[in-house]
């Protein structure tokens, strides 16, 4: 695929294995963190679960992907504006269908993203839990994969299972680990070491550590208020960690062949290319 002259858009998939470990909250708040760092962000909500980005941020969706293919609406009409100017393409707009489109629909979508490209620096993808083909497509198409885990043994085991599938089936070797809901940094490092020693021993891949977020009551308070944590509790410990992680990710400018929106769309829309 032609990528010369195209803008570099950082694409990051947030995944986990076990459900309920904090992916959606991490995605929404990292997006706001990036926005505070002057980056334009689009969230692709790839999970049709219950506690979606549009629910936790109280966003209303009007149109779906069918309006796009029928020519009635443009991509920008499907996108909803969230706090701090972040943009969200909600799951209810049909994001999951992106991995099963016909040729006409693919071309139409690429055209739409091409004209939207200048409005984004970072594309964040909130995936479903588990490791369905759909989750895998979004992960392997993205430049970075963040695996979120909590300190619970089941969450660590499931994080390992996701990494194992993405490596053995799709040859993915780069993973960033984010440990959520911890007591302190020592607990987070212990979790990271447990996970990375398993992947080093059984898969021969080493994992990057991207940071931790403490267990913090403000997170569920913000969810109940349907407001972003960073907006209503900016001084909470969890908010401080999320801002730190956002700036670490922003400064991580490794050259990566997967660093364009065209690569992302190319692999997402033509999964056979990468399988
Ligand atoms: N750091 C934290 N401190 C305290 N509670 C947290 C923290 N992170 C997440 N939670 C709680 O966990 C709940 C689930 O979080 P979230 O919806 O982000 O998880 P998820 O991984 O996206 O879930 P799913 O797999 O269902 O999509 C939140 O509603 C919140 O109450
Ligand atoms: Mg979620």
């Amino acid at each position: 695929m032609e990528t010369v002259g195209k803008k570099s858009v950082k694409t990051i998939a947030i995944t986990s294995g076990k459900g309920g470990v904090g992916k959606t909250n991490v995605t929404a708040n990292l997006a706001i963190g990036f926005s505070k760092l002057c980056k334009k962000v689009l969230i692709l909500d790839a999970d049709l679960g219950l506690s979606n980005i549009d629910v936790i941020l109280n966003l209303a969706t009007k149109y779906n992907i069918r309006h796009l293919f029928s020519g009635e609406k443009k991509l920008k009409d499907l996108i909803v504006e969230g706090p701090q100017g972040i943009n969200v393409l909600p799951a209810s707009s049909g994001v999951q269908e992106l991995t099963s489109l016909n040729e006409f629909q693919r071309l139409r979508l690429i055209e739409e993203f091409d004209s939207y490209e200048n409005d984004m620096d970072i594309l964040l993808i909130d995936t479903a839990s588990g490791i369905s083909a759909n989750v895998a497509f979004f992960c392997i198409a993205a430049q970075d994969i963040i695996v979120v885990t909590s300190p619970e043994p089941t969450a660590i085991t499931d994080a390992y299972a996701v990494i194992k599938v993405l490596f053995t089936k799709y040859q993915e070797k780069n993973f960033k680990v984010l440990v959520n809901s911890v007591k302190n940094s020592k607990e987070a490092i212990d979790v990271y070491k447990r996970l990375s020693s398993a992947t080093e021993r059984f898969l021969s891949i080493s994992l990057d550590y991207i940071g931790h977020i403490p267990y913090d009551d403000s997170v569920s308070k913000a969810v109940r208020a349907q407001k972003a944590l960073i907006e209503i509790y900016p001084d909470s410990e969890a908010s401080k960690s999320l801002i730190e992680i956002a700036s670490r990710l922003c400064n991580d400018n490794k050259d990566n062949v997967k660093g364009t929106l065209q690569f992302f769309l190319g692999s997402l829309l033509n999964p056979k290319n990468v399988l």
Side-chain angles (χ1 to χ4, degrees):
M1 176 168 285
E2 185 65 67
T3 56
V4 179
K6 287 289 184 184
K7 177 181 168 181
S8 169
V9 173
K10 199 186 245 310
T11 54
I12 308 173
I14 321 274
T15 196
S16 69
K18 190 175 185 311
V21 295
K23 293 178 295 298
T24 301
N25 276 280
V26 165
T27 308
N29 288 289
L30 277 184
I32 296 170
F34 287 136
S35 198
K36 282 182 183 289
L37 296 164
C38 301
K39 300 283 181 192
K40 288 181 274 182
V41 188
L42 174 66
I43 296 178
L44 211 62
D45 186 349
D47 179 12
L48 201 60
L50 292 173
S51 43
N52 280 94
I53 300 271
D54 48 346
V55 178
I56 72 164
L57 297 180
N58 198 18
L59 308 173
T61 333
K62 270 211 210 122
Y63 304 111
N64 63 51
I65 219 148
R66 273 165 231 115
H67 293 107
L68 187 93
F69 296 135
S70 67
E72 288 165 82
K73 295 290 162 197
K74 308 290 269 175
L75 180 64
K76 65 173 173 41
D77 301 316
L78 272 57
I79 289 171
V80 196
E81 190 170 325
Q84 199 78 35
I86 63 165
N87 288 314
V88 181
L89 190 56
S92 50
S93 69
V95 172
Q96 309 77 359
E97 294 170 31
L98 299 189
T99 53
S100 54
L101 302 177
N102 65 34
E103 196 54 27
F104 164 77
Q105 293 169 324
R106 278 180 195 151
L107 293 173
R108 173 98 181 82
L109 200 79
I110 288 176
E111 215 175 75
E112 283 290 319
F113 267 99
D114 262 347
S115 54
Y116 187 78
E117 185 178 17
N118 286 331
D119 278 330
M120 91 176 103
D121 301 309
I122 300 178
L123 179 70
L124 274 183
I125 306 121
D126 182 20
T127 74
S129 49
I131 185 69
S132 61
N134 221 324
V135 170
F137 289 154
F138 283 102
C139 287
I140 52 183
Q143 184 183 4
D144 280 338
I145 302 172
I146 297 183
V147 180
V148 181
T149 182
S150 73
E152 287 177 19
T154 44
I156 304 173
T157 314
D158 290 359
Y160 175 79
V162 163
I163 294 170
K164 184 177 173 188
V165 169
L166 289 172
F167 173 66
T168 51
K169 269 182 104 172
Y170 306 98
Q171 292 78 51
E172 190 60 62
K173 292 191 192 69
N174 298 308
F175 300 92
K176 293 182 158 68
V177 178
L178 192 164
V179 191
N180 187 25
S181 301
V182 290
K183 289 198 281 278
N184 49 41
S185 59
K186 183 185 176 304
E187 185 178 37
I189 298 283
D190 286 347
V191 169
Y192 164 72
K193 281 189 182 154
R194 237 173 107 181
L195 190 54
S196 60
S197 60
T199 61
E200 274 164 28
R201 181 157 172 219
F202 300 111
L203 310 173
S204 299
I205 50 173
S206 50
L207 308 175
D208 293 327
Y209 178 68
I210 193 67
H212 71 275
I213 304 167
Y215 180 89
D216 189 332
D217 284 335
S218 323
V219 179
S220 59
K221 282 192 205 153
V223 170
R224 271 176 273 149
Q226 289 185 286
K227 298 263 193 248
L229 172 81
I230 292 190
E231 284 229 308
I232 55 167
Y233 300 112
D235 298 325
S236 64
E237 290 307 312
S239 287
K240 288 182 202 157
S241 302
L242 281 153
I243 295 277
E244 240 177 70
I245 295 169
S247 66
R248 210 167 292 145
L249 285 164
C250 263
N251 294 331
D252 171 29
N253 280 326
K254 263 187 272 166
D255 277 346
N256 191 319
V257 282
K258 294 161 85 179
T260 63
L261 189 61
Q262 284 63 36
F263 179 91
F264 177 78
L265 287 172
S267 10
L268 183 69
L269 303 181
N270 294 293
K272 285 182 216 77
N273 288 352
V274 283
L275 298 187

